Structures are given as structure tokens and as C-alpha cells.
Amino acid sequence: MSEPHASLRPIARWLAWVYGLIAAMVVIGGITRLTGSGLSMVEWQPLMGAVPPLSEADWLAVFAQYQRTPQYAQVNHWMQLGDFKAIFFWEYLHRVLGRLIGVAFLVPWLVFWARRQLRGPLAARTFVAFLLGGAQGLLGWYMVQSGLVNVPEVSHFRLAAHLSLALGVALYVQWLWMGLRWPRPASAAADRALPLWLPVTTLALLSLQVVYGAFMAGKRAGKIFSSFPDMNGELLPLGWRSGAGLLRDLTEHPVAIHVAHRTLAWIVLAACLALGAVAMQGPGPRLRRAGVAVAGLALLQVGLGAATVWTGVHIAFAVAHQGTALVLLSSVVAVVYLRSGQDENGC
């Protein structure tokens, strides 16, 4: 197995940094959501919005804009300027980091392209990541808009799309990085050790669980039950169906969403433990380490979910729960990659 060409190593390091920035964005996005900060900035200014209020007059003007929103009128009417600054901070940081990721991606990409280190399919595929990042910014503003009219809550469907795209971009960047840094595995041995359907199915189940995690956040369903593994003493609580139809309940009724998220957790855990056990018998050390990571992180994720429920959605546990979801997804994607095989150029 050959090592990646030396000229590609800086590109791999750059992609690793971009992945890290996206991971930080996911964490800060969780904090923004949990602190109720996401609706504090009522305008979307991709360029000028990078400059925060600098004077007392600027702060009063921004606060006056917020006071005209449904969230202030219906939820935060008690806030003074100092309280507003606290929630403004997280949303501002979230947006600034999004701009920073764009710069941290585009400037090195242009430098690598000018130096002819990025050419052909690799140049095109890396640029797709930049376009996806831009789409993520647009989707974020589309999500925020849903909470600025009438009801001071963002659409949980748009929230799920926003989170899913963020994680998808991170995993796409990871895939590109693996194509540059990890030599092609011995596919024949991998075929015998691990059927491809197992990691792919696990990834699909985990992705669905992430969507339901966003539904939980959007519907504030995490606080409905405060016990685990039971739900306030019941395995299937009464009232989990509203009578509006199963599909509508599973996508809109907070109790049904909570039940679905809990049920999926056990299914995902079983799939991750099975995948980890099989991958740990794999032909290469990377595949075996990825298997250990999948199994260990799945157990940790269930523990963090339980702690989130027990503590009434304490911000530390809830944010750790969201961040670990990305790391677990990355571990499963690593297994998919190692099982499927890629060449050193990620092409």
C-alpha cells in the first residue's frame, strides 16, 4: 500500500482543519439553540453582519429590532439590554464562525489551485464542499425566518434540515480527507470480514436518529419525560398518539417524537454494537480501531442521552450529546470507507 504523495499532505491538513471548524460550528449551534439565542439577530447580512454593535446607540438599535419580534413579545418581554446581549453573543458567534469557515476554505483552495496542487476531480470535489457550506448558510437563514413570524419557534423540519446538512458537509470533508490520507484497503479481505450492508444500514439508522434529535430540540420534547430507560414509569406512555394519524404524530406530536427517538436509540445501539464487533475482527488496524470507536461512542451517546433526560436537558449534556453524534457518524463513515475502498486521491 503506497503512502499519499507529499504534495497532497497540505491539502489533507487543510481538510482536517475545515472538519474541525465544522465540528465547532455544530457545538456552538447546539449552544445557540439551547440558550434560545437563535432568533436574536433578525437580519441576515452575509458581509456587513460580521461587524457587531460597537456603540450604545448601535446596541439600542439592534435591541429595538429584536423587541419587534414574536419571541420578545411572547417569551422574553422581561429582557433588558444586558440580557439581550447575552443571547446575541451566541448567535453572533455562530454566524461569525460560519463566515470564518467560508474564508478558511476558499482562500486555501484558491492558493492550492493557483499552485496547481488542486486539479481535476479533486479540485471539483473539494469545491463542492464550499458550495454545500454556502447552501448551509442560506438554509440557516431560511430556518431563522420561520421563527420571526407569529410563532417564536423555528420550524423543527427546517432545524432538522439545517443540522443534517451541517453534519453532511462535515462527513463529506472527512471522506475527502480519508481519500488523501488512507491507502486503499485490501478489499478482498474486507469483503470476508464485513458485509457492506451492515455499515451502510447503521449509517442510515443513525442519520434518521439525528433527524429525530433535531425534532426533539425543535419541539422541546426532551423535557417531557425525566426518567430513563422508562418514561416516567412507563415503557410506552399513554397519550403518545394524538389521533391525527401515525405519520403526523411521528413528525409533529412531541410525545410521539420523544418515544420514537428513544426507540430508535436502542435500535441504533444494537446496530452499532454489531458493526463494532464485526469490524473489530477486520483485516486492518484502521478498521479494527474504527470498530472500537463505533461501539464505544454508541454506548457513550446513549449515556449522554440518558443524562440529558435526567437533568432536564442540561446544556452541558445536551451539547455533548449533539457533538458526540457527529463523532459517532464519522466513525461509521470511516468503516464504510474502509470497507468500500478508495484510492489515495479521493477520486
Side-chain angles (χ1 to χ4, degrees), residues 303-316:
L304 288 170
T308 301
V309 168
W310 286 330
T311 59
V313 192
H314 189 281
I315 187 169

Side-chain angles (χ1 to χ4, degrees), residues 31-32 35-41 52-64 66-67 71-72 76 78-94:
I31 297 173
T32 301
T35 55
S37 305
L39 299 176
S40 59
M41 295 179 69
L54 299 176
S55 66
E56 189 72 6
D58 291 339
W59 274 113
L60 289 172
V62 173
F63 187 36
Y66 177 68
Q67 288 175 310
Q71 187 182 60
Y72 178 83
N76 292 334
W78 53 270
M79 278 189 171
Q80 301 299 315
L81 181 59
D83 304 306
F84 170 71
K85 288 181 179 180
I87 64 170
F88 184 93
F89 168 79
W90 287 111
E91 175 64 3
Y92 174 74
L93 181 61
H94 188 55

Side-chain angles (χ1 to χ4, degrees), residues 29 31-44 62-76 79 83-84 86-92 94-95 139-156 158-159 218 220:
I31 297 173
T32 301
R33 173 67 189 171
L34 289 163
T35 55
S37 305
L39 299 176
S40 59
M41 295 179 69
V42 301
E43 292 182 340
W44 190 55
V62 173
F63 187 36
Q65 289 179 331
Y66 177 68
Q67 288 175 310
R68 292 192 290 269
T69 67
Q71 187 182 60
Y72 178 83
Q74 300 177 36
V75 181
N76 292 334
M79 278 189 171
D83 304 306
F84 170 71
I87 64 170
F88 184 93
F89 168 79
W90 287 111
E91 175 64 3
Y92 174 74
H94 188 55
R95 295 195 188 189
L139 183 56
W141 176 241
Y142 179 65
M143 177 190 70
V144 168
Q145 278 189 316
S146 66
L148 296 177
V149 180
N150 299 326
V151 180
E153 294 180 357
V154 300
S155 163
H156 64 294
R158 298 187 193 185
L159 176 64
R220 293 178 171 83

Side-chain angles (χ1 to χ4, degrees), residues 26-308:
V26 169
V27 170
I28 292 174
I31 297 173
T32 301
R33 173 67 189 171
L34 289 163
T35 55
S37 305
L39 299 176
S40 59
M41 295 179 69
V42 301
E43 292 182 340
W44 190 55
Q45 298 175 312
L47 298 178
M48 298 304 295
V51 181
L54 299 176
S55 66
E56 189 72 6
D58 291 339
W59 274 113
L60 289 172
V62 173
F63 187 36
Q65 289 179 331
Y66 177 68
Q67 288 175 310
R68 292 192 290 269
T69 67
Q71 187 182 60
Y72 178 83
Q74 300 177 36
V75 181
N76 292 334
H77 48 82
W78 53 270
M79 278 189 171
Q80 301 299 315
L81 181 59
D83 304 306
F84 170 71
K85 288 181 179 180
I87 64 170
F88 184 93
F89 168 79
W90 287 111
E91 175 64 3
Y92 174 74
L93 181 61
H94 188 55
R95 295 195 188 189
V96 167
L97 183 56
R99 294 178 175 89
L100 175 62
I101 293 173
V103 174
F105 191 97
L106 184 59
V107 172
W109 189 93
L110 291 171
V111 171
F112 288 131
W113 184 82
R115 293 178 176 176
R116 305 185 67 82
Q117 291 174 277
L118 270 177
R119 281 293 184 268
L122 182 58
R125 292 183 181 187
T126 50
F127 193 73
V128 166
F130 177 74
L131 297 179
L132 290 173
Q136 173 70 354
L138 289 171
L139 183 56
W141 176 241
Y142 179 65
M143 177 190 70
V144 168
Q145 278 189 316
S146 66
L148 296 177
V149 180
N150 299 326
V151 180
E153 294 180 357
V154 300
S155 163
H156 64 294
F157 294 111
R158 298 187 193 185
L159 176 64
H162 187 55
L163 176 61
S164 298
L165 182 55
L167 298 177
V169 175
L171 297 176
Y172 180 71
V173 171
Q174 175 195 349
W175 190 274
L176 294 173
W177 176 88
M178 290 186 298
L180 294 173
R181 294 301 297 162
W182 289 1
R184 187 183 181 93
S187 59
D191 290 349
R192 292 192 297 271
L194 179 63
L196 185 58
W197 66 265
L198 182 55
V200 170
T201 301
T202 303
L203 182 61
L205 288 170
L206 187 54
S207 299
L208 178 61
Q209 180 69 326
V210 166
V211 170
Y212 264 97
F215 285 176
M216 288 275 284
K219 285 295 187 178
R220 293 178 171 83
K223 295 183 179 181
I224 293 177
F225 303 108
S226 57
S227 61
F228 185 91
D230 62 282
M231 288 173 266
N232 290 356
E234 298 178 305
L235 293 179
L236 185 62
L238 296 174
W240 77 276
R241 293 291 306 277
S242 70
L246 182 60
L247 180 60
R248 186 167 182 177
D249 282 344
L250 290 175
T251 55
E252 295 189 22
H253 186 39
V255 178
I257 288 171
H258 191 119
V259 170
H261 191 57
R262 292 248 197 147
T263 303
L264 273 171
W266 297 117
I267 297 172
V268 170
L269 177 62
C272 287
L273 292 178
L275 175 60
V278 176
M280 280 185 264
Q281 307 302 316
R286 285 198 180 102
L287 184 58
R288 292 194 291 270
R289 286 195 295 268
V292 172
V294 168
L297 287 166
L299 290 169
L300 174 62
Q301 183 69 336
V302 171
L304 288 170
T308 301

